[in-house]
Amino acid sequence: MRGAAVPQWDVAVESCVPASARELFTRTAGQPWPREHAEAAEAELDAFAGFLTARGIVVTRPDPVDHTRSFSTPRWSSPGGLYSAMPRDLLLVVGDMIIESPMAWRSRYFEADAYHRLLTGYFRRGARWIAAPRPLLDDDTFDAGFDRETPFATQSYATTEVEPTFDAADFTRCGTDLFAQRSHVTNRLGIEWVARHLDPEYTVHIVETIDPYPMHIDASFVPLAPGKLLLNRNKVKDVPSVLDAWDVRVAPEPAVPDDFELYMSSPTVGMNVLMLSETQVVVEAQETALADMLDEWGFDVLPIPFRNVMRFGGCFHCVTADVRRRGELRSFV
């Protein structure tokens, strides 16, 4: 969260974040987040990095960037950026390919810059590094009159189909299969762009949602291990038929209190767990009902305090983007 900034309030942001954030975003766009909350989140991120390192996992972190600096394109300007804390939003890693996402939030237009040195290093070591076409993000990329109550029913979203846009976090990987959702930041053109650029052994499946604020699939549809799927039944309409043989369980109600301020997400972001292996799962320490369910399901639960990070729109899966895993690449469906 070092150098993070409050994003500008616009159609794309409004579609995804709690309405209670509007006053703060409008008043302080481009300025640092409230210091107490940002520093608490940074401390949790540092502790989590230390936890992973102690378990023998190689952790690399982005370069520092001052997101409070204003910037512009020939078409629009922004009083600042957002942050470099959520690489899963930005980078889609599939096999030896790393794809930079054409994100729909204008505040995130140059977010990949913080990872440029790391990506160059991966490329030198053999990775295929590509970037989706950087979108123009003109006004016609957005639909100010989108259906704010049931966009999934009316096929009405904050983003239009004039150019490909997608956040990497609207895709979740499971072996040679990827599951993707149409959301307020990911359009059908974006999903099609990804599908065309993947190697032939990969298949993209669409997950139908019933979420009025769809943004990022990894807090509603979470493949945990071969044959095991964690689901938010309030957000997912139907599980793809290729998973009919899987054990599907619904996540319990989140433990986040009603008076806990979440700037950029719903309380269900606690579902955003991280699998270290097919049996080890990292869970936010206060999500005890979820931890108990996962323990009963046969997982080794590793609780880590992360609620302050959750304020800013992500949890363990969001703040990581694994580039190398042990094991065989195969289909699990």
Side-chain angles (χ1 to χ4, degrees):
M1 295 299 297
R2 297 183 183 96
V6 177
Q8 185 176 36
W9 188 267
D10 57 24
V11 173
V13 172
E14 176 201 354
S15 68
C16 305
V17 305
S20 59
R22 179 170 190 149
E23 191 276 331
L24 174 69
F25 284 30
T26 302
R27 176 171 49 84
T28 65
Q31 300 178 32
W33 291 93
R35 182 174 178 179
E36 179 183 1
H37 292 170
E39 289 182 350
E42 185 63 42
E44 289 178 349
L45 284 166
D46 289 343
F48 181 48
F51 166 82
L52 295 176
T53 301
R55 300 184 74 87
I57 298 170
V58 176
V59 176
T60 56
R61 303 183 74 172
D63 290 332
V65 171
D66 181 7
H67 293 279
T68 65
R69 295 175 61 185
S70 62
F71 59 86
S72 64
T73 76
R75 293 170 169 82
W76 47 264
S77 61
S78 177
L82 179 56
Y83 46 38
S84 307
M86 309 286 176
R88 188 83 61 171
D89 296 0
L90 171 68
L91 303 173
L92 181 58
V93 183
V94 184
D96 65 351
M97 181 184 292
I98 304 175
I99 302 172
E100 289 184 39
S101 299
M103 308 179 86
W105 283 21
R106 289 173 173 171
S107 59
R108 311 191 78 171
Y109 206 64
F110 294 107
E111 197 161 307
D113 290 4
Y115 298 88
H116 195 86
R117 180 181 56 83
L118 290 174
L119 293 171
T120 301
Y122 292 134
F123 178 73
R124 292 184 187 279
R125 297 197 294 274
R128 291 180 292 163
W129 170 25
I130 65 174
R134 182 167 276 176
L136 299 179
L137 299 187
D138 284 338
D139 289 346
D140 62 356
T141 301
F142 309 102
D143 177 9
F146 72 92
D147 182 350
R148 286 163 169 76
E149 299 298 326
T150 56
F152 53 88
T154 60
Q155 295 295 295
S156 171
Y157 295 90
T159 48
T160 65
E161 297 290 338
V162 302
E163 59 183 344
T165 67
F166 64 85
D167 280 14
D170 271 324
F171 296 80
T172 189
R173 307 187 320 268
C174 177
T176 57
D177 295 274
L178 289 83
F179 297 89
Q181 69 171 7
R182 174 64 164 102
S183 77
H184 287 310
V185 294
T186 296
N187 59 17
R188 288 183 291 276
L189 277 179
I191 295 172
E192 179 63 22
W193 189 95
V194 171
R196 290 192 200 179
H197 283 77
L198 298 181
D199 290 337
E201 65 263 36
Y202 293 97
T203 303
V204 177
H205 309 271
I206 303 299
V207 177
E208 300 293 341
T209 67
I210 50 174
D211 182 4
Y213 310 104
M215 180 183 180
H216 301 170
I217 196 171
D218 53 359
S220 54
F221 180 96
V222 185
L224 296 172
K228 295 182 177 182
L229 174 68
L230 182 65
L231 199 68
N232 183 333
R233 188 50 85 178
N234 294 323
K235 293 187 176 183
V236 177
K237 180 179 180 181
D238 295 305
V239 175
S241 59
V242 294
L243 300 180
D244 282 349
W246 280 40
D247 183 4
V248 180
R249 302 198 183 185
V250 176
E253 288 297 310
V256 179
D258 292 340
D259 60 354
F260 186 82
E261 189 167 20
L262 292 168
Y263 296 118
M264 297 173 59
S265 65
S266 73
T268 60
V269 73
M271 281 182 62
N272 191 257
V273 299
L274 178 66
M275 299 301 301
L276 301 186
S277 69
E278 292 185 1
T279 59
Q280 294 179 314
V281 57
V282 181
V283 178
E284 206 288 315
Q286 298 183 67
E287 294 293 330
T288 55
L290 177 60
D292 290 345
M293 189 198 79
L294 293 173
D295 177 72
E296 185 274 331
W297 208 357
F299 291 101
D300 177 14
V301 178
L302 305 171
I304 300 290
F306 225 56
R307 186 169 281 181
N308 289 290
V309 175
M310 290 167 59
R311 291 184 189 274
F312 298 97
C315 203
F316 300 108
H317 196 251
C318 291
V319 304
T320 55
D322 43 305
V323 296
R324 189 176 295 110
R325 288 266 187 172
R326 296 187 181 95
E328 176 189 2
L329 178 65
R330 62 184 179 89
S331 176
F332 296 98
V333 303

